[in-house]
Amino acid sequence: MGNGVRAQQREQTRRTLVRESRRLFATQGYASVHLSEVVQAAGVTKGALYHHFESKAALFRAVLEEVQQEVAAHVAATADAEEDSWNQLTSGCHAFLRATTEPSVQRIMLVDGPAVLGWRNWRAMTEATSGRHLASALSALVLEGIVPAQPVAPLTHLLSGAMNEAALWLATSEDAADLEATRQALTRILEALRAK
């Protein structure tokens, strides 16, 4: 068996472990998942799991990275479909809110993420994905004069925090009208940023 085949098998094992643990973390939550369940679902040995991930937290981190990258890619694709910078910002923010209110994404990305990795590590990961897109969109709007000249970092953190908090609140809401009301509130907040 050549090295190329072995490398492919290792990558396939890693992908299977991430896929199965993602499903388990999303449905049961990090604290309730045992590594024995992961290896059984993935059809591998514990040794194979530890070859790829040193701990349950490392496995969770890989799952979280995948979820964050998917959300960021979805937000970027939605924003890029718009012609002008303002619509890119608003459609991207609404796409983020929609994506993060999906229960499995929410549990991994917003509930367990900060708890498992610690707030600082989780924030750094968030800033590297969705936060980077948001900062870029806001920077473009400031350059174009659509948003008044101001430091972009505080604005990025304020908007990001507001959207994360809204998504967490919507997770516990039992009123279907809350999502539309939140979308409308987000639109008003964004509109308030525009230069008059």
Side-chain angles (χ1 to χ4, degrees):
M1 191 188 318
N3 284 341
V5 173
R6 271 198 293 274
Q8 277 183 320
Q9 287 177 334
R10 278 195 299 275
E11 183 52 33
Q12 181 60 45
T13 298
R14 186 184 188 287
R15 277 199 304 267
T16 302
L17 283 164
V18 170
R19 183 187 68 235
E20 292 303 323
S21 57
R22 178 175 175 170
R23 182 180 58 79
L24 291 165
F25 290 144
T27 53
Q28 298 176 31
Y30 177 83
S32 299
V33 173
H34 299 285
L35 288 179
S36 56
E37 293 175 86
V38 174
V39 296
Q40 185 176 357
V44 300
T45 63
K46 251 192 179 157
L49 183 145
Y50 284 117
H51 174 76
H52 293 279
F53 303 101
E54 64 185 27
S55 63
K56 182 175 152 184
L59 178 58
F60 178 81
R61 185 184 180 95
V63 168
L64 176 60
E65 281 174 356
E66 182 178 273
V67 171
Q68 286 185 322
Q69 286 164 3
E70 285 174 12
V71 168
H74 169 69
V75 168
T78 303
D80 290 347
E82 298 293 335
E83 291 293 316
D84 68 273
S85 301
W86 180 256
N87 288 339
Q88 287 176 350
L89 173 72
T90 57
S91 66
C93 286
H94 284 288
F96 178 84
L97 193 62
R98 271 194 314 277
T100 54
T101 51
E102 203 274 300
S104 65
V105 167
Q106 204 167 54
R107 181 168 219 162
I108 290 168
M109 192 167 146
L110 299 176
V111 177
D112 285 342
V116 174
L117 297 181
W119 184 253
R120 183 169 291 159
N121 287 333
W122 177 81
R123 282 295 306 139
M125 288 176 72
T126 300
E127 283 176 38
T129 52
S130 299
R132 191 168 35 97
H133 293 295
L134 182 57
S136 174
L138 289 167
S139 294
L141 289 166
V142 168
L143 280 174
E144 292 172 31
I146 296 167
V147 169
Q150 62 189 290
V152 169
L155 197 51
T156 302
H157 286 280
L158 283 165
L159 278 177
S160 177
M163 288 187 289
N164 286 340
E165 180 60 32
L168 285 168
W169 173 68
L170 286 167
T172 61
S173 167
E174 297 184 9
D175 187 343
D178 284 341
L179 177 58
E180 185 51 34
T182 302
R183 287 175 48 77
Q184 289 173 13
L186 177 57
T187 298
R188 286 190 293 273
I189 288 170
L190 294 172
E191 283 295 332
L193 298 177
R194 291 182 88 149
K196 299 299 179 245

